[in-house]
Amino acid sequence: MTIREFKMPDVGEGLTEAEILKWYVQPGDTVTDGQVVCEVETAKAAVELPIPFDGVVHALLFEEGTTVDVGQVIISVQTGDAGAGAPVQTAAAPVAEAAAAAAPAAPAEEPVAEARQPVLVGYGVSTASTKRRPRKATAATAAQNGTAAPAAPAAPAAPVLPAVPAQPTGERPLAKPPVRKLAKDLGIDLASVVPTGDGGVVTREDVHAAAAAAIAPQAVPAAAAPVAAQAQAQAPVAEAAVTETSARETRIPVKGVRKVTAQAMVGSAFTAPHVTEFITLDVTRTMKLVQELKDDPDLAGLRINPLLLIAKAVLVAIRRNPDVNASWDEAAQEIVLKHYVNLGIAAATPRGLIVPNIKDAHAKTLGELSESLSSLVATARDGKTSPADMQNGTITITNVGVFGVDTGTPILNPGESAILAVGAIKLQPWVHKGKVKPRQVTTLALSFDHRLIDGELGSKFLADIAAVLEHPRRLITWS
């Protein structure tokens, strides 16, 4: 009998971590190949993970609610296959202890697999990329595990802290790919960055701090204080702050949807040079067309709304201005023109804001586009949007008008060239045929990546969208 280990797979291309929402099995349960053992959340979607072999659950290495890096072992299963995997300890251990033991066990497995291991989606990360230093135990961790020593032994922990700031000579700094890219974009050498993450991992905040220090050298002396003294000084202050403000503040852990959204928006804002242009227009004719389409028996059963015609207007404008539909390849220093449109639609869900996209939207008829929009929104609200549905988007629409907002300056979805914000449609006085009349008016805001789209192209693209919505017959004449 051997113990086989199941690692957290990359359930969406390029993802680095996932939160375990729920375990469906417990130690001692029998599992079969393909059986769902847990549900995880990542990339703003809940995904069920099936296990790829038969056996009896030996141990669950992480508790529900824990965020786990891709490539870490999350469950071990006792099987009857000889040589299927390296033996591990058979004694049952608490989840927290098993998770801690998993870190030093990883190096023993590293030499076995030289190639990437196939996972549910794509090929995940290579084994080497998940290698980490053993995490240093902190006083809080020791106390939680019931192994806290008296106050006197706490002194030896001090020498450990000064070792964190300096990266070992000749050793590659530990950092996740998005952090490495951020450092490259900001011109920061990771080897010179003081890591504050667990196990000496460089975080995004560390890179920003290093960039700020480079801009303001006068701040360096203050930042150069010994880390040990700084940590000792900050600890009681933080504890006191929580105590004093616990009745007045609520601290919410940043994870799941909020964490992914924050990382994506910061990455986009600091990577792509944003430009936003606005246009206010009369959409009375479009609103009349929406009502006519609702009454059309050929479209019975389909959801017809202004967003449908706005999406169609965007697709027509892309056809007239194909260069807006592109992406920036930083590694190759190339602009990639897309000959397809995966139209993203920002959707508010119980889990937070997500941006699934309609694949090949450019090739769909009005009826097919309506069906895709309805399916996309329903799936998102049910929390069933898959990571694949949110990948490879090209241009996005966000409808802030449903909240009564006139417009906004939207941030690009990472990897996309533009995003259109649609404001509320309101009855306003408007000059129509030489007379002031009440007309249905809205404001559009287009944010675009200035590396890809210059002012002229961006202006023409936005003007074409507005022209279609002012005179919807152009949906036919410009198609």
Side-chain angles (χ1 to χ4, degrees), residues 183-362:
K184 178 181 178 182
D185 293 339
L186 298 180
I188 301 298
D189 182 4
L190 280 177
S192 66
V193 177
V194 177
T196 62
D198 293 335
V201 175
V202 177
T203 66
R204 187 178 293 274
E205 291 72 19
D206 297 336
V207 174
H208 284 305
I215 296 173
Q218 64 273 18
V220 173
V227 177
Q230 187 183 43
Q232 292 173 357
Q234 288 179 347
V237 174
E239 185 176 352
V242 172
T243 303
E244 293 174 3
T245 63
S246 59
R248 294 164 60 87
E249 296 180 353
T250 300
R251 291 181 175 267
I252 303 174
V254 180
K255 58 183 181 179
V257 173
R258 177 58 56 193
K259 184 174 182 179
V260 173
T261 300
Q263 291 173 342
M265 292 301 96
V266 170
S268 177
F270 282 93
T271 301
H274 284 56
V275 174
T276 304
E277 294 185 342
F278 307 89
I279 189 168
T280 301
L281 61 147
D282 176 6
V283 293
T284 304
R285 293 186 180 89
T286 289
M287 297 305 291
K288 289 181 178 178
L289 179 58
V290 168
Q291 189 57 52
E292 291 174 2
L293 294 175
K294 286 182 177 180
D295 298 334
D296 190 333
D298 291 335
L299 298 177
L302 296 178
R303 183 177 177 81
I304 308 297
N305 55 25
L307 179 60
L308 174 62
L309 294 188
I310 292 169
K312 199 66 178 176
V314 169
L315 295 172
V316 170
I318 291 174
R319 185 180 296 114
R320 288 171 56 84
N321 305 273
D323 288 350
V324 303
N325 193 41
S327 64
W328 182 272
D329 188 335
E330 180 66 27
Q333 285 294 291
E334 295 176 339
I335 293 175
V336 183
L337 296 178
K338 307 293 179 66
H339 304 302
Y340 59 89
V341 181
N342 289 344
L343 186 63
I345 304 294
T349 74
R351 294 182 182 275
L353 181 68
I354 66 173
V355 188
N357 59 73
I358 300 173
K359 308 298 186 198
D360 294 324
H362 66 287

Side-chain angles (χ1 to χ4, degrees), residues 98-184:
E109 298 175 342
E110 301 282 349
V112 177
E114 297 179 358
R116 292 188 174 189
Q117 295 182 352
V119 291
L120 296 181
V121 179
Y123 287 91
V125 294
S126 62
T127 308
S129 67
T130 59
K131 181 179 180 181
R132 300 190 182 278
R133 294 194 189 107
R135 296 189 176 183
K136 300 175 179 66
T138 63
T141 306
Q144 186 177 13
N145 292 337
T147 59
V160 176
L161 289 170
V164 175
Q167 295 288 352
T169 303
E171 186 168 339
R172 187 170 185 244
L174 294 178
K176 293 182 179 179
V179 178
R180 293 186 183 279
K181 185 177 186 305
L182 175 63
K184 178 181 178 182

Side-chain angles (χ1 to χ4, degrees), residues 3-7 53 61 73 75-77 85-86 88 105 109:
I3 302 297
R4 299 190 66 178
E5 297 174 330
F6 179 57
K7 298 179 179 180
F53 39 79
L61 302 185
V73 178
I75 181 175
S76 59
V77 175
V88 299
E109 298 175 342

